[in-house]
Amino acid sequence: MNTTTLNPAVAQENRFGAHNYHPLPVVLARGEGVYLFDTAGRRYLDMMSAYSAVSFGHGHPALIRALTEQAQRLAVCSRAFHTDQLGPFLAKLCEVTGMHSALPMNTGAEAVETAVKAARKWAYKVKGVPSGQAHILVAAGNFAGRTTTIIGFSSEAQYRDGFGPFTPGFSSVPFGDAAALEAAITPHTAAFLVEPVQGEAGIIVPPAGYLKAVRDICTRHNVLMIADEVQSGLGRTGKTLACDHEGVRPDGLTLGKALGGGLLPVSAFLARADVMAQFTPGDHGSTFGGNPLAAAVGLAALNMLETENLADLALAQGDYLMTELRRMNHPAVVEVRGKGLLIGIEIDPAVASARTVCEALIHEGVLTKDTHHTVVRLAPPLTISRAQIDVAVAALRKVLDGLMNRSKTMDRSLTASLQA
Ligand SMILES: *Cc1c(COP(=O)(O)O)cnc(C)c1O
């Protein structure tokens, strides 16, 4: 399948593009529901849905209708003016999440940046932290985007290497350890920013009771609990928010990815009233944030989450997929973990890298992406059927069997060469 190197579009990408990605060798041209199609018309099951951005499947007719109808009416006019689309979108966002108010942005990183600004200003104006001293705690292993401030508190050496100096005012505590959080809080701590399930870190689910404990600690110390649900939110883990699994409401919340219906970048920072009240005209903004096209598509996506019961579907299909993966009990698999349809399969590095597994899966008509070298991520559109899940599991079994045989053969030839 190294036809990709001969593909003229890929050659142009390689010649004229920055090499900040290392795409898998497939050239996509079309998407429909849970399927993607390459330039030769070959069909693949999409088992990663653009890092959860395509939760509703590719080209969902209701979302395409919302997009095209609004595009023909009014797409972008800036927040210099009111529109008839923004209010209904924000109202629905607050209704669905139980938060007081929302600030629309475009990308997930911008939503997190907005959260950081809100938390700092709240710390100065409400909590009474001395000027310039506000401090934000984050969880080790976090992923919150790629801006210079955000990478400054990343635990990933590569994300930081060569990009400093970094924004001060952050420090990290181990993820899943409530006692460590409490011990790190000082009178200057404004907020704790945490993903309820860590996505890019390798689909890490914290111990049961962690979110509840975090909520209690934050309340007790007057520290804002900010949940970064850019990836875990909007049904992905089997509840509207991953925080709902423990009945916890954060003080601040970031959403993105699926909020754009798989069509546009749409994100938001949501918060309780006294936190959002810190923003006054001129404090913060975005040329594209909250534009009528994004608002119309975002509203349609939120409506679809409810009308199609996607969170419940994700819970049921996620349980089924997880059970099937565990039942496979494959010797190449170290662990299967996750929540809802956000699942990570830890591959034994002695058998193959997760990247090798993903490359082999292409030949079986399944597309997904490794994360953290050893983890194969499975995060299909929430609309995936059981029959389609069965196809993905069978493909994975075939690929892992093949890689086991290959590593056994390699072991035998290594033993033979050592004996020779
Ligand atoms: C993807 C992600 C982001 C960043 O979103 P972008 O749209 O890529 O900027 C932030 N937080 C979490 C948890 C994410 O998974």
Side-chain angles (χ1 to χ4, degrees), residues 53-77:
V54 187
S55 281
F56 309 98
H58 296 277
H60 193 293
L63 295 174
I64 296 287
R65 198 177 323 117
L67 177 84
T68 51
E69 286 181 5
Q70 188 58 42
Q72 286 165 10
R73 267 197 301 272
L74 177 64
V76 173
C77 62

Side-chain angles (χ1 to χ4, degrees), residues 67-418:
L67 177 84
T68 51
E69 286 181 5
Q70 188 58 42
Q72 286 165 10
R73 267 197 301 272
L74 177 64
V76 173
C77 62
S78 92
R79 295 287 305 275
F81 313 101
H82 294 289
T83 68
D84 58 359
Q85 296 298 309
L86 183 58
F89 170 53
L90 299 178
K92 190 70 189 178
L93 256 177
C94 292
E95 181 207 314
V96 163
T97 58
M99 302 300 284
H100 178 271
S101 43
L103 194 160
M105 297 294 281
N106 313 283
T107 64
E110 289 172 305
V112 174
E113 290 276 352
T114 305
V116 167
K117 287 173 78 171
R120 285 178 167 180
K121 197 165 178 196
W122 173 86
Y124 300 128
K125 306 287 178 185
V126 178
K127 182 165 173 168
V129 171
S131 176
Q133 307 276 300
H135 193 257
I136 294 176
L137 294 169
V138 299
N142 67 79
F143 182 85
R146 303 295 202 141
T147 65
T148 45
T149 288
I150 288 170
I151 58 166
F153 58 74
S154 170
S155 324
E156 272 296 293
Q158 194 201 345
Y159 295 173
R160 300 162 53 97
D161 183 33
F163 300 125
F166 301 112
T167 311
F170 299 93
S171 56
S172 76
V173 296
F175 180 62
D177 185 343
L181 167 67
E182 183 150 36
I185 289 174
T186 74
H188 294 171
T189 306
F192 177 48
L193 173 70
V194 64
E195 294 159 81
V197 175
Q198 288 190 329
E200 301 311 299
I203 324 295
I204 313 292
V205 182
Y210 175 65
L211 299 174
K212 229 177 170 47
V214 166
R215 174 67 280 177
D216 291 345
I217 291 165
C218 287
T219 302
R220 235 177 314 115
H221 294 273
N222 195 24
V223 165
L224 301 176
M225 176 185 181
I226 300 177
D228 182 357
E229 297 231 30
V230 169
Q231 186 158 172
S232 61
L234 303 179
R236 173 56 55 186
T237 70
K239 299 273 184 192
T240 301
L241 300 177
C243 280
D244 295 340
H245 287 285
E246 296 195 6
V248 159
R249 177 165 312 156
D251 306 303
L253 170 71
T254 54
L255 293 176
K257 293 193 169 113
L259 190 55
L263 296 170
L264 292 169
V266 183
S267 72
F269 169 65
L270 295 104
R272 67 183 210 207
D274 64 324
V275 176
M276 200 62 92
Q278 298 313 312
F279 287 119
T280 57
D283 275 3
H284 190 52
S286 159
T287 302
F288 287 97
N291 70 71
L293 187 61
V297 171
L299 177 61
L302 292 170
N303 283 333
M304 185 164 304
L305 186 69
E306 287 187 338
T307 55
E308 302 199 0
N309 277 324
L310 288 178
D312 292 343
L313 211 54
L315 197 63
Q317 307 298 54
D319 275 353
Y320 178 71
L321 174 52
M322 192 105 76
T323 304
E324 290 301 297
L325 290 170
R326 288 189 173 140
R327 214 164 56 85
M328 187 162 81
N329 197 21
H330 203 282
V333 173
V334 176
E335 191 187 21
V336 178
R337 56 180 180 247
K339 244 189 172 51
L341 280 172
L342 185 57
I343 294 175
I345 306 165
E346 181 100 35
I347 305 294
D348 181 354
V351 175
S353 70
R355 168 101 190 176
T356 303
V357 174
C358 293
E359 284 175 354
L361 278 169
I362 296 174
H363 299 277
E364 303 305 322
V366 171
L367 295 184
T368 191
K369 179 71 172 66
D370 54 296
T371 174
H372 268 245
H373 310 295
T374 54
V375 182
V376 173
R377 168 208 319 257
L378 295 183
L382 307 184
T383 51
I384 192 169
S385 72
R386 289 202 171 195
Q388 289 159 340
I389 287 174
D390 289 340
V391 168
V393 172
L396 187 70
R397 177 182 293 133
K398 185 174 171 197
V399 160
L400 293 176
D401 284 349
L403 291 169
M404 284 293 290
N405 288 334
R406 188 197 67 163
S407 75
K408 273 193 206 121
T409 316
M410 273 168 21
D411 277 354
R412 270 199 301 275
S413 61
L414 186 66
T415 313
S417 68
L418 287 175

